[in-house]
Amino acid sequence: MTLELNGIGVSRGIAIGKAYHLQRRSLEAVEYCLPKYKIDDEVARFRAAVNSAKRQLRGIRDQIPEDAPSDIAAFIDTHLLMMDDAALSKAPAKLIQERRINAEWALQMQRDSLVRVFDEMDDPYLRTRKDDVDHVVNRIQRLLLDADHHEGETPEKRFKGRIIVADDLTPADTVLMQNQGIAGFITEFGGPLSHTAILARSLGIPAAVGVRNARRYLRDNEQLILDGQHGIVLADATPKIIRYYREGQSEEKRYQQELQKLKWRSAITLDGVAIKLMANIELAEDTRAVRTVGAEGVGLYRTEFIYMNRTDLPDEEEHFETYRNVLKTLRGTPITIRTLDLGSDKQVDSGRVSGPLPTNPALGLRAIRLCLRDPSLFLPQLRAILRVSALGPVRIMIPMLSSTQELFQVLQIIADLKREFRESGIKFDANIPVGGMIEVPAAAICAHIFAKHLDFFSIGTNDLIQYTLAVDRVDDTVNYLYDPLHPSVLQLIATTIKAGRKAGIPVAMCGEMAGDPRYTRLLLGMGLCEFSMHSSSLLEVKRIINNSEINALSHAVKRILRTTHHSEIASLVDRLNV
């Protein structure tokens, strides 16, 4: 009898292949004493394992797709830095020498010691960093124990065509196994916004996360069907079901080929409404993907990477050179630079302020709040953006506005800088547009007030949904409550679009919802005319736009906005997409 398990589909595509259970938590180190004459060799063995692990990670980093978010590479860089840290590179060697113990046991002792320190921390974010310690230790430990050696079988042969079943995967695991030919993966934990899920979409690997008890019910080596769009996993399927999904695979391949033909076509609805499609980027390297899919501009340039993996702050010149490089690569395409959005889930040493650690960083000193608190963090970036505006079409976007008081402070700082630039003869675009991200319910409700003072809006749905529903979007124990179709979320989006249109300012959306084709027609019907998303989603969204009629959608969406029950809303949205 066919068994069906359900999770969250995070990367579309259908995979059919045998299950491979990835046992990440089964490494058991055994302690044994060494004679004195073997100590130096054991230390050398430990160091060789660390160096091999670093080479492995560097190799993985080089294979990350250009259009993958930069924080995935930063995630791997963090693990590389940890391997260089004395706590993991030197302390175990010292334990080997002092206690005359084997390398595996010394590394295990050091791991336990570090995890105890993290467990005692008050800050929930820092407590999660113990997972990074585990990932790094596990990689070195596998090399010491030769855990990946399988007699007569290379990793490529072992993984090729298999559907990986695991509790969770790191981005490094994902890249490594994709190069070894996996067909897809299923994890018991994780959410649609996890690094691994985002990377799976960039790599085009069918994937489902949050498939509870997958390792319990799915047997090693049994044939599975994975539907990465709907999060469905089937085991022991009948020949008829297998034939159905194989036809689905063929259709998907043809569909992707058709999408490529849309690259240089405009996004215009059937009733003649032009829709602007833009891309989100994080690095200068991301701009290649922007051009490849024919995006009309960059609707969100995240600048946090400039602050990552360092302890000092970037100065004005570094900001300027970075932005100039991106602008030059885009060859005249408009770009919207978001001022830094550090804090909450994006903590870096260079942006951390002194004082006690916040107990709830998502509601604490982050984004524009942090910038206004610390001008030394904010002014160099603003000055650099103003200077680069003299070289091409640039917009400034302020994240996480929640009060007009904050907005007025920002506008005053920009006005002061402009006056200073004029007096000093520094070139800049005097009419540079200044917009705000609407990602806090307070800003959405008061959008009509913000609209009087801003040149454009961009709706950040990831945080707007998180704050509206009080759901931590990266916490997989509650992220089932994270719902873009919640009536309150839809009302806030509609309110923002309406306020922007009434004030005559452009309203864009740059959150994940903008790049999710399930919601394209819903947003068109609400009146959204600018979408900014990951480049990999743009062509599919364009296809839907080119086959939609705004007038018809507007009537249907009015009914959706009057509906209060989630199941009915979901059903009506499904009907829009038929």
Side-chain angles (χ1 to χ4, degrees):
M1 191 174 82
T2 301
L3 169 70
E4 177 176 333
L5 299 179
N6 292 281
I8 304 167
V10 294
S11 180
R12 63 179 294 160
I14 295 167
I16 301 174
K18 290 186 176 179
Y20 185 99
H21 276 235
L22 195 69
Q23 303 293 343
R24 284 301 193 201
R25 299 184 186 276
S26 60
L27 295 179
E28 291 293 338
V30 177
E31 180 184 11
Y32 55 89
C33 292
L34 297 167
K36 190 175 180 181
Y37 72 91
K38 282 193 172 182
I39 295 299
D40 289 344
D41 287 345
E42 192 66 3
V43 171
R45 190 169 75 89
F46 168 73
R47 287 175 178 156
V50 174
N51 288 331
S52 292
K54 286 196 281 191
R55 281 196 299 275
Q56 209 175 57
L57 277 184
R58 289 191 195 103
I60 291 168
R61 192 189 188 290
D62 291 342
Q63 294 161 23
I64 295 174
E66 288 178 353
D67 63 347
S70 60
D71 53 351
I72 290 170
F75 181 91
I76 293 174
D77 285 341
T78 301
H79 286 195
L80 279 165
L81 286 172
M82 289 172 73
M83 286 184 185
D84 282 329
D85 192 280
L88 284 175
S89 65
K90 294 181 179 175
K94 195 175 178 185
L95 286 170
I96 294 169
Q97 291 165 328
E98 290 177 352
R99 301 192 178 211
R100 293 188 186 181
I101 53 176
N102 53 311
E104 296 89 340
W105 190 250
L107 184 59
Q108 181 67 36
M109 287 180 67
Q110 183 63 9
R111 177 261 173 209
D112 293 345
S113 172
L114 291 171
V115 166
R116 276 197 297 275
V117 172
F118 281 106
D119 278 339
E120 290 169 2
M121 291 179 174
D122 292 330
D123 180 70
Y125 168 78
L126 290 177
R127 280 203 302 274
T128 65
R129 301 308 297 264
K130 72 178 182 181
D131 293 339
D132 290 319
V133 174
D134 270 335
H135 289 316
V136 171
V137 167
N138 195 285
R139 187 167 294 281
I140 301 169
Q141 201 73 286
R142 296 187 77 80
L143 290 162
L144 286 169
L145 293 167
D146 201 15
D148 292 326
H149 176 74
H150 294 249
E151 197 65 41
E153 197 177 27
T154 63
E156 288 78 5
K157 190 174 179 182
R158 191 163 72 251
F159 291 130
K160 190 172 178 57
R162 297 292 196 95
I163 297 175
I164 305 300
V165 182
D167 55 348
D168 202 358
L169 293 176
T170 67
D173 289 331
T174 309
V175 174
L176 187 63
M177 288 190 288
Q178 193 263 352
N179 285 310
Q180 292 165 348
I182 63 168
F185 69 77
I186 299 161
T187 64
E188 291 196 10
F189 303 103
L193 300 178
S194 68
H195 286 106
T196 301
I198 292 169
L199 187 55
R201 287 194 284 276
S202 295
L203 292 168
I205 308 172
V209 302
V211 185
R212 301 293 181 187
N213 297 310
R215 290 172 298 164
R216 179 180 175 192
Y217 292 116
L218 302 178
R219 299 190 303 274
D220 210 16
N221 278 321
E222 74 174 328
Q223 179 151 293
L224 303 180
I225 296 172
L226 163 63
D227 179 342
Q229 181 172 6
H230 300 102
I232 296 171
V233 180
L234 301 174
D236 199 17
T238 63
K240 186 177 178 182
I241 294 175
I242 293 173
R243 272 199 307 278
Y244 172 81
Y245 276 98
R246 286 208 186 282
E247 287 170 8
Q249 279 182 314
S250 300
E251 283 177 16
E252 176 67 19
K253 190 176 177 182
R254 285 194 293 273
Y255 178 69
Q256 292 300 327
Q257 289 169 345
E258 286 298 311
L259 283 184
Q260 296 306 309
K261 298 177 183 174
L262 296 176
K263 276 183 186 177
W264 307 117
R265 286 181 57 185
S266 300
I268 300 177
T269 63
L270 293 173
D271 44 352
V273 179
I275 304 296
K276 187 177 282 187
L277 294 185
M278 298 174 288
N280 298 342
I281 67 166
E282 300 183 50
L283 293 171
E285 291 82 353
D286 298 339
T287 56
R288 189 178 303 171
V290 174
R291 294 201 308 272
T292 301
V293 297
E296 294 182 61
V298 171
L300 169 61
Y301 174 23
R302 300 184 178 97
T303 57
E304 292 75 39
F305 78 94
I306 304 175
Y307 300 83
M308 289 180 173
N309 298 323
R310 59 194 295 169
T311 54
D312 61 331
L313 287 173
D315 61 15
E316 180 183 327
E317 284 308 307
E318 186 174 347
H319 278 290
F320 177 73
E321 289 300 329
T322 304
Y323 306 147
R324 183 170 69 170
N325 184 30
V326 171
L327 199 61
K328 184 179 174 185
T329 313
L330 286 169
R331 301 174 190 166
T333 303
I335 181 167
T336 305
I337 303 178
R338 182 178 73 183
T339 58
L340 71 90
D341 184 13
L342 295 177
S344 188
D345 59 334
K346 293 188 285 286
Q347 298 279 0
V348 295
D349 289 340
S350 62
R352 198 181 295 281
V353 294
S354 58
L357 291 169
T359 54
N360 194 341
L363 301 180
L365 195 60
R366 57 168 296 201
I368 193 59
R369 300 171 183 178
L370 177 62
C371 289
L372 292 174
R373 168 77 170 267
D374 185 356
S376 69
L377 205 60
F378 197 30
L379 291 180
Q381 182 177 37
L382 275 184
R383 289 178 60 89
I385 296 173
L386 281 175
R387 284 172 58 198
V388 86
S389 71
L391 307 177
V394 172
R395 305 195 299 181
I396 300 174
M397 186 156 72
I398 311 300
M400 210 192 169
L401 285 169
S402 60
S403 75
T404 51
Q405 185 182 2
E406 290 170 336
L407 174 59
F408 295 157
Q409 282 182 268
V410 174
L411 294 179
Q412 185 60 54
I413 291 171
I414 293 173
D416 290 344
L417 287 176
K418 285 183 176 179
R419 185 170 58 252
E420 183 186 325
F421 277 29
R422 286 193 194 95
E423 291 171 357
S424 305
I426 300 172
K427 292 182 179 177
F428 69 99
D429 176 5
N431 297 313
I432 182 171
V434 178
M437 282 192 74
I438 304 300
E439 51 188 340
V440 175
I445 293 166
C446 294
H448 61 292
I449 300 173
F450 282 94
K452 295 175 184 172
H453 308 283
L454 287 167
D455 298 311
F456 66 94
F457 284 157
S458 188
I459 304 171
T461 51
N462 300 356
D463 274 335
L464 183 62
I465 297 169
Q466 169 173 261
Y467 290 130
T468 302
L469 303 181
V471 173
D472 184 344
R473 57 194 167 98
V474 296
D475 182 346
D476 63 12
T477 62
V478 294
N479 65 15
Y480 66 94
L481 294 167
Y482 184 89
D483 180 10
L485 296 183
H486 193 287
S488 61
V489 173
L490 297 185
Q491 292 298 330
L492 291 176
I493 292 172
T495 298
T496 303
I497 294 172
K498 186 177 177 183
R501 295 182 72 159
K502 189 172 181 182
I505 64 171
V507 180
M509 178 177 286
C510 59
E512 287 288 317
M513 205 171 164
D516 191 327
R518 291 174 298 178
Y519 308 127
T520 304
R521 286 193 167 126
L522 171 68
L523 296 170
L524 286 172
M526 285 182 172
L528 191 74
C529 289
E530 294 187 16
F531 295 64
S532 188
M533 65 201 80
H534 191 273
S535 299
S536 61
S537 302
L538 193 139
L539 292 178
E540 189 171 9
V541 170
K542 185 187 286 186
R543 184 194 67 80
I544 295 170
I545 290 169
N546 289 355
N547 289 288
S548 300
E549 188 179 331
I550 298 274
N551 283 333
L553 291 174
S554 299
H555 290 296
V557 169
K558 281 178 185 171
R559 182 181 170 192
I560 291 173
L561 291 175
R562 289 195 299 270
T563 305
T564 54
H565 295 290
H566 176 272
S567 59
E568 193 177 346
I569 290 174
S571 173
L572 290 171
V573 171
D574 285 344
R575 276 193 231 169
L576 288 181
N577 295 324
V578 173

